[in-house]
Amino acid sequence: MLRVAVVGSGPSGCYTAQSLVGLDSEVCVDVLDRLPCPYGLVRYGVAPDHEKIKSLQNQLRAVLEHDRVRFLGGVRIGPDGVSVARLRRLYHAVVYCVGAATDRHLGIPGEHLPGSWSATQFVSWYSAHPDAVDAGFLRDARSAVVIGVGNVAVDVTRMLARGPAELTPTDMPQAALAALGASRVTEIHMVGRRGPSQARFTTKELRELGTLPQTDVVVDPAELALDPGYTDPCALPAPQRRNVDVLRGWAEASPTGAPRRIHLRFFLRPAELLAGQGHVRAARFERTVPDGHGGVTGTGRHEVIEGQLVLRSVGYRGVPLEDLPFDPGTGTVPNLCGRVLREGVASPGEYVAGWIKRGPTGVIGSNRPCAKETATSLLEDAPALALRAVPDDPLPLLHAAGIHPVEWEGWRSIERAEADLGAALGRGVVKLPDWPSLLKAAAGRAP
């Protein structure tokens, strides 16, 4: 029996495990995760009001309940947990599916002022990630600036504009629900440095902004007209053409005077975050224009947009793992078809899948073919990998080292505790938001 460890229980990790046990009946997989809860960004990144996408958890659950797959949560890989070297001694092969764990920076003055946050930090807070902090994101904020025009930027913009009646049915933690429900933010500016035909959001996400109650979506026709793809969309790919059509409709409509307004802005490049009394008060942008080669160039003209909350959503980046090679230029582990490369040579028994393999690109479904490619590479190497002796079961050795993973029944206990919490609050399932409550629930004790 070939024993494989998959590090990470998000879509790429689960799809890797699914491919391995589906392609070879002689493979057993332990799916390890630093958190006591599975599903990665499906649990902690998908917006609470996107129930259809969140239902993907049911597919991932089926993988983790396979009789040759075992979930081991709460296991850290690295200097403060199980070392990469020790992991290699416990398993014939290890597949790292650790995603892209940090955010790209703007690299502008004032970026780290109080009140300026990465969108990921905001998402983690309202998604109940146990590492998140309640940083008073919305305290004293009446205007917010979201820098970026991808789907995450649309998500946080939508969350800022939703009211308590729309958020109460979600699994959002109670503290975040109360804070968002009491929010006084009425002006939200989502700003991109390029034009509407180059924005990264999908049409489905974009259209949702127009369905929000008591909210106007405001678009400046003059900004849209700077984009050649907007004035003549015929040559655009269908997704971008649909985006342009949606934006055109808003640009031609008259605001209704709703109490909240979402301003979609284009051709503005962040230059500086401005402070007032030690807190961010506004963002200064440089006006850009198309350069004729798919990019933009600055004009030297600037505009200041008020905002006591700034959320930066300009992409993700992988981080190095202890004792694994890392390419700082791409934020990925060097690999060939998923095989980890050390000084250009495939390292036996070490593999990657997902964003740490290919960079933070694609949608959730993009992880399926990526995972299958890595699993195929691993199984091609299996005859040589199986020659090395490993323990029949690594779990007793982990216990002996003082590491006590949260197994599947522990996760099911967390699920029951979250259902009980929701019932007590008169809501549906409500997520437990911190490490102590999660670990108590996993142990079968009331949080």
Side-chain angles (χ1 to χ4, degrees):
M1 188 69 71
L2 192 75
R3 296 201 169 273
V4 179
V6 170
V7 180
S9 67
S12 63
C14 287
Y15 291 151
T16 299
Q18 183 180 48
S19 291
L20 286 168
V21 297
L23 292 171
D24 193 324
S25 61
E26 295 298 312
V27 175
C28 285
V29 180
D30 282 349
V31 178
L32 285 62
D33 202 293
R34 183 177 68 85
L35 300 176
C37 308
Y39 312 138
L41 284 179
V42 176
R43 176 174 168 89
Y44 289 119
V46 173
D49 60 342
H50 277 179
E51 287 299 323
K52 185 174 181 180
I53 302 175
K54 289 173 72 68
S55 68
L56 176 64
Q57 292 184 15
N58 295 328
Q59 295 180 27
L60 305 185
R61 172 190 296 276
V63 176
L64 295 175
E65 289 182 336
H66 190 281
D67 59 3
R68 285 185 284 118
V69 177
R70 177 170 60 179
F71 173 70
L72 300 177
V75 179
R76 293 178 179 268
I77 306 301
D80 55 349
V82 182
S83 70
V84 168
R86 180 172 177 79
L87 202 60
R88 284 287 292 113
R89 291 195 295 270
L90 294 176
Y91 295 90
H92 291 110
V94 182
V95 187
Y96 297 93
C97 305
V98 293
T102 191
D103 298 270
R104 293 186 180 277
H105 296 292
L106 295 172
I108 61 173
E111 181 170 6
H112 300 296
L113 280 168
S116 168
W117 305 91
S118 74
T120 300
Q121 290 171 301
F122 188 62
V123 170
S124 293
W125 167 68
Y126 68 59
S127 298
H129 194 292
D131 291 340
V133 293
D134 185 350
F137 293 97
L138 303 168
R139 190 178 302 129
D140 300 324
R142 296 182 181 274
S143 180
V145 179
V146 179
I147 300 175
V149 284
N151 279 346
V152 175
V154 176
D155 279 349
V156 298
T157 296
R158 195 178 64 256
M159 287 297 104
L160 287 168
R162 282 214 184 276
E166 303 150 66
L167 295 174
T168 297
T170 73
D171 62 5
M172 181 179 289
Q174 190 69 14
L177 174 65
L180 284 165
S183 169
R184 293 182 294 170
V185 172
T186 58
E187 302 284 339
I188 307 160
H189 303 261
M190 190 171 79
V191 188
R193 63 184 176 88
R194 297 195 292 179
S197 69
Q198 297 169 310
R200 297 293 185 91
F201 43 60
T202 57
T203 308
K204 179 179 180 296
E205 294 263 359
L206 181 64
R207 282 181 176 143
E208 279 188 276
L209 297 180
T211 68
L212 298 173
Q214 298 186 298
T215 304
D216 280 334
V217 180
V218 181
V219 187
D220 184 350
E223 282 186 350
L224 301 183
L226 293 172
D227 188 342
Y230 178 81
T231 54
D232 183 14
C234 297
L236 292 177
Q240 284 72 33
R241 193 165 60 248
R242 288 193 291 269
N243 287 344
V244 163
D245 287 343
V246 173
L247 292 166
R248 191 186 308 278
W250 287 330
E252 294 173 352
S254 299
T256 66
R260 286 190 295 265
R261 285 166 298 280
I262 296 172
H263 304 263
L264 300 184
R265 305 295 309 275
F266 299 95
F267 292 112
L268 291 170
R269 179 164 57 198
E272 182 182 9
L273 300 187
L274 305 174
Q277 299 182 331
H279 193 278
V280 70
R281 65 171 178 83
R284 186 167 65 89
F285 293 88
E286 180 183 17
R287 170 65 66 191
T288 62
V289 293
D291 63 5
H293 304 288
V296 293
T297 185
T299 64
R301 293 183 287 114
H302 289 80
E303 177 178 339
V304 173
I305 300 177
E306 178 187 347
Q308 301 81 38
L309 169 66
V310 174
L311 298 174
R312 313 179 308 270
S313 180
V314 291
Y316 299 97
R317 184 173 179 78
V319 297
L321 256 177
E322 177 219 18
D323 198 34
L324 274 184
F326 187 75
D327 182 345
T330 62
T332 61
V333 171
N335 71 92
L336 179 63
C337 298
R339 296 180 177 92
V340 171
L341 298 178
R342 292 184 180 270
E343 298 182 353
V345 178
S347 176
E350 294 184 307
Y351 303 85
V352 285
W355 280 1
I356 199 64
K357 170 187 174 184
R358 68 182 193 276
T361 60
V363 295
I364 290 175
S366 307
N367 290 293
R368 278 189 182 276
C370 174
K372 187 173 182 179
E373 178 187 62
T374 294
T376 300
S377 294
L378 190 158
L379 294 175
E380 287 174 355
D381 302 339
L385 298 175
L387 296 177
R388 188 168 58 85
V390 299
D392 288 339
D393 185 356
L395 193 54
L397 295 176
L398 292 175
H399 288 162
I403 297 167
H404 300 281
V406 174
E407 298 186 58
W408 192 249
E409 188 48 47
W411 158 240
R412 294 300 306 276
S413 293
I414 292 173
E415 287 187 304
R416 289 190 290 271
E418 292 182 336
D420 291 344
L421 175 60
L425 294 169
R427 297 172 59 194
V429 170
V430 173
K431 286 180 182 173
L432 299 173
D434 56 75
W435 280 96
S437 58
L438 286 169
L439 294 178
K440 284 181 181 178
R445 304 193 301 272

